[in-house]
Amino acid sequence: MRGLAVIDRRIFLRGTAGALAAPALAAPAIAQVKPHVVVVGGGAGGATAAKYLVSTGAELDVTLVEQNRQFVTPFTSNQFLAGLKPYEQLVFGYDNLAGRGVKLVFERVAGIARTAKRLRLADGSEIPYDRLIISPGIDFRYADVPGYSAEAAERMPHAWRGGDQLLLLKRRLDAVEDGGLIVIIAPPTPYRCPPAPYERASMMALALKRRGVKDVRIVILDAKDHFTMQPLFEDGWERHYPGVIEWQDPKMHGGIKSVDPKSMTVTTDLETHKAALVNVIPPQQAGRLGRDAGLTDETGWCPVDAGTMKSLVDANIHVIGDAAIGGDFPKSGFAANNEAKNTAMIVRHELLGGRLLPVRFTNHCWSTIAPDDAIKNGARYEPRDGKIVMLDPYTSQRDESAELREKQAKEAVGWYRGMTTDMFG
Ligand SMILES: Cc1cc2nc3c(=O)[nH]c(=O)nc-3n(C[C@H](O)[C@H](O)[C@H](O)COP(=O)(O)OP(=O)(O)OC[C@H]3O[C@@H](n4cnc5c(N)ncnc54)[C@H](O)[C@@H]3O)c2cc1C
């Protein structure tokens, strides 16, 4: 359990030597006596977990496996669409984590041999683990939107995971002309970041307003009959972008019958929209790795014990971030970061006997309606009988002052700086 056999080490290195950061080869003798914790996914959950596992002492051998060399934060990507933030400020690398002693492997994990406790990488190499933490994020149920697919996303971007999709959506938004129609298809719950589709509509409207584009409409076709902070968003839309954003619930549109990326049309039971831009945010499920490893249930998400974030399928694997379900878990970067720190503490405790505090966390989500006009909601969370329970939820008020909204917009900027420093600093 505690040591890596020489043969394991050889398997680990096969085909990956070029991808490993320097610390991987620096101390093989020490690595053989330390428990090996492997983290998959270098986003909000995984990067934080890897950092906190090494930050609190050197007794663990920590490897982070991530398929991309850079992470583009989905959080604040809507502000990029509005032109409030340059793309470069969303992009982070992993050098600081390597400097802290995290071994980095840039490769896709193709599968998990759970009985043998090994990861199979796309390049054919394997990595053994004593304990595994996965934070693979989300995947899409493309087929749930008739006519939509990974290929269709090249014309009707989702832009829900950062990267090229986000750049594509921005290019398309910047090309919308006078009289143009934008359609946003908003997903059913549960999905990543509940307020984000509505913040996105706000930021699209801002981009068009700033560019002086006239007579545009943004129609949100929702799978839900209401959405988070709805009165606050609708009030903000009326004040900042009167007549631009229209929200339709399923009772009004009657369901999405099809999307056609060639003709750029969206057909509902009510009508066919011919759009200049279609942003399909499809229904979601756990990242493919969780599904392929048999860690999901019939919901498509990975059930976990909320007190430990351990998979209910395999107690050697912790699932954190958006991929996990088990009660009121919010699917946000803030929550993933909190879950990661709790999990790092639990893993250290179980492998090395480190201190164990009760699992508790908070979540606060800021949504920008316009520059200097941000709303927020949040709550604290704690496990009860294996499920996470939301306590003391709060939300912004409709009649709060302009000064408070401005203060909240500043808070959001501060949160992003703190969050990304916590993950990658
Ligand atoms: C528009 C938008 C706005 C948002 N705004 C906010 C906000 O204001 N506040 C907030 O808290 N949250 C926000 N979020 C939500 C936040 O981005 C996610 O909840 C958070 O990123 C989830 O973290 P995660 O670790 O689960 O997944 P991710 O951060 O997506 O990380 C998953 C990582 O795993 C890697 N990976 C996946 N599979 C494999 C594999 N097989 N092998 C190797 N690597 C793999 C991926 O490449 C990725 O880097 C927003 C999201 C969107 C889309």
Side-chain angles (χ1 to χ4, degrees), residues 17-338:
L20 291 171
L25 299 176
I30 296 170
Q32 286 176 22
V33 298
K34 297 177 185 177
H36 188 206
V37 183
V38 178
V39 182
V40 181
T48 310
K51 178 174 164 183
Y52 275 74
L53 283 163
V54 293
S55 294
T56 44
E59 311 91 336
L60 291 173
D61 200 9
V62 180
T63 302
L64 174 64
V65 191
E66 164 56 51
Q67 60 196 352
N68 300 315
R69 286 184 175 266
Q70 292 183 317
F71 184 73
V72 182
T73 63
F75 24 106
T76 72
S77 64
N78 288 329
Q79 284 78 345
F80 160 67
L81 294 177
L84 297 178
K85 189 167 199 175
Y87 185 76
E88 303 72 53
Q89 285 185 12
L90 303 175
V91 183
F92 293 83
Y94 297 92
D95 288 354
N96 290 338
L97 292 188
R100 288 175 177 274
V102 175
K103 291 161 191 158
L104 294 171
V105 178
F106 293 111
E107 188 54 85
R108 184 174 64 82
V109 176
I112 306 171
R114 291 201 276 111
T115 311
K117 299 213 285 188
R118 284 170 189 279
L119 296 182
R120 222 171 3 87
L121 304 195
D123 65 3
S125 61
E126 293 186 3
I127 302 179
Y129 61 83
D130 295 312
R131 191 66 67 90
L132 180 63
I133 300 174
I134 67 167
S135 193
I138 53 157
D139 208 345
F140 302 110
R141 295 177 182 272
Y142 291 105
D144 286 7
V145 180
Y148 199 58
S149 62
E151 295 70 45
E154 296 306 314
R155 279 185 57 82
M156 295 179 162
H158 53 73
W160 217 240
R161 278 192 301 218
D164 291 348
Q165 276 278 306
L166 187 59
L167 292 168
L168 178 61
L169 183 62
K170 169 86 170 136
R171 276 200 304 279
R172 298 232 157 203
L173 176 63
D174 289 348
V176 173
E177 295 173 348
D178 289 354
L181 170 68
I182 297 175
V183 175
I184 299 175
I185 297 182
T189 50
Y191 64 96
R192 161 174 286 183
C193 199
Y198 315 99
E199 181 188 63
R200 178 169 285 178
S202 314
M203 292 295 94
M204 284 181 169
L206 175 64
L208 297 164
K209 185 175 170 178
R210 286 186 149 191
R211 213 154 48 76
V213 189
K214 296 192 180 51
D215 303 323
V216 281
R217 276 171 70 224
I218 301 174
V219 175
I220 305 171
L221 302 173
D222 214 319
K224 306 176 289 297
D225 59 11
H226 66 281
F227 60 90
T228 181
M229 297 191 280
Q230 184 166 353
L232 301 172
F233 275 109
E234 289 178 341
D235 168 63
W237 293 342
E238 205 41 53
R239 283 187 292 110
H240 297 292
Y241 321 108
V244 173
I245 302 173
E246 175 187 334
W247 177 77
Q248 295 187 10
D249 68 5
K251 270 198 247 86
M252 186 180 290
H253 62 69
I256 311 286
K257 299 298 166 211
S258 65
V259 300
D260 181 356
K262 281 206 188 78
S263 60
M264 289 297 280
T265 53
V266 177
T267 302
T268 68
D269 214 21
L270 183 68
E271 61 194 313
T272 292
H273 300 276
K274 169 91 178 134
L277 165 60
V278 181
N279 174 208
V280 182
I281 307 168
Q284 293 158 33
Q285 57 188 332
R288 181 172 168 183
L289 180 65
R291 303 199 320 278
D292 288 354
L295 299 172
T296 51
D297 64 13
E298 66 288 349
T299 65
W301 304 97
C302 302
V304 296
D305 168 67
T308 58
M309 301 305 291
K310 282 183 184 173
S311 161
L312 295 186
V313 177
D314 185 334
N316 276 309
I317 303 178
H318 302 253
V319 185
I320 60 175
D322 290 351
I325 51 154
D328 300 332
F329 276 121
K331 296 198 184 301
S332 76
F334 198 122
N337 170 269
N338 275 224

